Amino acid sequence: MRVLVTGSTGDVGRALVDRLLDGGAEVHALTRNPAAAARFRAGVEVAVGDANDPELLDAALDGVDSVHLVADLVAPHVVARIARSQARRVVVLSGFAQGPVEEAVRQSRLRWTLLRPVEFMANALAWSPDIRAHGIVREPFPELRSARIHESDVADVAAAILFEGGYDGRSLRLTGAAALTTREAVRVLAEVVGRAVRVVTTSPAELRAGGMPADEVDALVAWAANPPPDVSTVLPTVEQVTGRRPRSFAEWVVEHAQCFR
Ligand SMILES: NC(=O)c1ccc[n+]([C@@H]2O[C@H](COP(=O)([O-])OP(=O)(O)OC[C@H]3O[C@@H](n4cnc5c(N)ncnc54)[C@H](OP(=O)(O)O)[C@@H]3O)[C@@H](O)[C@H]2O)c1
């Protein structure tokens, strides 16, 4: 199997490249960063440039039978180019909203699967500077619950589908194994890292004063008042696809503990 991986230097992409190599696939990795080429394991064929560049894309697609496509990174014309190549399968990493790329994939002749993960555990890295400097996490809505997912579980799902197929024409919502509030997640982090961390609730006025545009603050407040149940509903999808329970937030913190010390 030969797979083209977009977003290959991202949290999901790096893990996916490793899974694919471990499983014996040939990997073509797209990155805009020439220095990244040196960091991939031996055997990865690196294409340097923008995933939207038609010439680069056509060259990177040469000989490829499957594609891991990060929807946010590309324009819909990329889907048309993939469909014109000999690639048959595309696994699309999508966000909360569905856009024209997802629509182009649905309308294409490709065998497609859309992955729609909830928030990544890696978003907790944004807490690192305040934790390291002050032992605090500033959050506007610390009681909001999230079924946050480990990025490696997203990669495992993508790899399983690329290797084994079986989810053609499906849109899969992916979550972790538990829905923790931010306050609970910070407590887990503090225990694992072994330091006291206090949650400081920031008000909408403080968010605005800190530079967040007023319309974004308003949208955040409205969202928090009525959060979609999707973000906190634990689903069995990761285990169904991979045969393994999703990694816990505590496991993620163990892997990233040095970022918080
Ligand atoms: N974070 C979340 O909570 C969350 C939740 C649900 C879904 N998602 C989706 O998951 C996707 C992947 O997330 P991630 O954390 O693995 O990746 P990421 O950190 O967002 O990075 C993706 C990689 O894509 C590359 N890239 C960006 N623009 C590019 C372009 N035009 N052409 C080629 N490469 C480009 C960048 O690498 P180079 O600089 O090496 O090119 C970057 O390292 C996101 O796009 C998001 O839509 C995220």
Side-chain angles (χ1 to χ4, degrees):
M1 183 172 75
R2 236 181 250 172
V3 186
L4 172 63
V5 179
T6 64
S8 59
T9 61
D11 289 317
V12 174
R14 284 195 313 271
L16 177 60
V17 168
D18 282 344
R19 301 293 179 281
L20 294 170
L21 292 173
D22 291 346
E26 275 182 44
V27 178
H28 292 199
L30 259 176
T31 169
R32 295 160 308 167
N33 177 4
R39 291 198 291 270
F40 284 116
R41 276 161 55 185
V44 176
E45 201 166 303
V46 184
V48 178
D50 193 300
N52 291 291
D53 173 344
E55 274 179 34
L56 176 79
L57 189 62
D58 287 348
L61 279 165
D62 189 33
V64 156
D65 35 64
S66 304
V67 178
H68 174 77
L69 188 65
V70 179
D72 273 1
L73 304 184
V74 296
H77 75 83
V78 167
V79 178
R81 292 200 101 79
I82 296 171
R84 278 203 298 275
S85 76
Q86 73 278 37
R88 290 289 168 271
R89 180 180 299 286
V90 62
V91 172
V92 181
L93 177 50
S94 187
F96 195 70
Q98 301 286 285
V101 171
E102 286 86 346
E103 188 51 30
V105 167
R106 287 177 190 275
Q107 299 303 326
S108 76
R109 56 153 196 88
L110 294 158
R111 304 174 74 170
W112 55 265
T113 309
L114 300 183
L115 305 185
R116 299 181 54 230
V118 291
E119 125 173 74
F120 292 171
M121 290 178 181
N123 292 356
L125 289 172
W127 299 337
S128 154
D130 265 349
I131 290 180
R132 293 171 88 151
H134 311 292
I136 62 169
V137 165
R138 292 176 227 261
E139 277 285 329
F141 303 106
E143 309 309 334
L144 281 187
R145 229 165 251 289
S146 162
R148 47 179 72 76
I149 185 168
H150 194 304
E151 309 74 58
S152 293
D153 284 324
V154 180
D156 285 350
V157 168
I161 295 171
L162 288 164
F163 278 121
E164 294 153 30
Y167 292 87
D168 291 356
R170 300 273 303 275
S171 173
L172 304 178
R173 189 93 179 125
L174 306 177
T175 74
L180 303 180
T181 66
T182 298
R183 198 180 293 284
E184 289 166 345
V186 170
R187 201 174 301 138
V188 169
L189 188 149
E191 271 167 29
V192 172
V193 172
R195 64 174 298 170
V197 184
R198 197 164 49 87
V199 175
V200 175
T201 307
T202 45
S203 68
E206 284 167 320
L207 292 176
R208 278 190 287 272
M212 189 185 270
D215 56 338
E216 280 182 32
V217 175
D218 292 346
L220 187 61
V221 170
W223 186 85
N226 194 14
D230 255 18
V231 300
S232 58
T233 305
V234 171
L235 297 172
T237 323
V238 168
E239 188 165 3
Q240 284 166 351
V241 178
T242 67
R244 217 184 29 72
R245 268 179 73 74
R247 295 160 175 86
S248 67
F249 186 60
E251 286 174 88
W252 183 92
V253 179
V254 168
E255 292 166 18
H256 297 83
Q258 75 287 354
C259 303
F260 301 98
R261 289 191 173 121

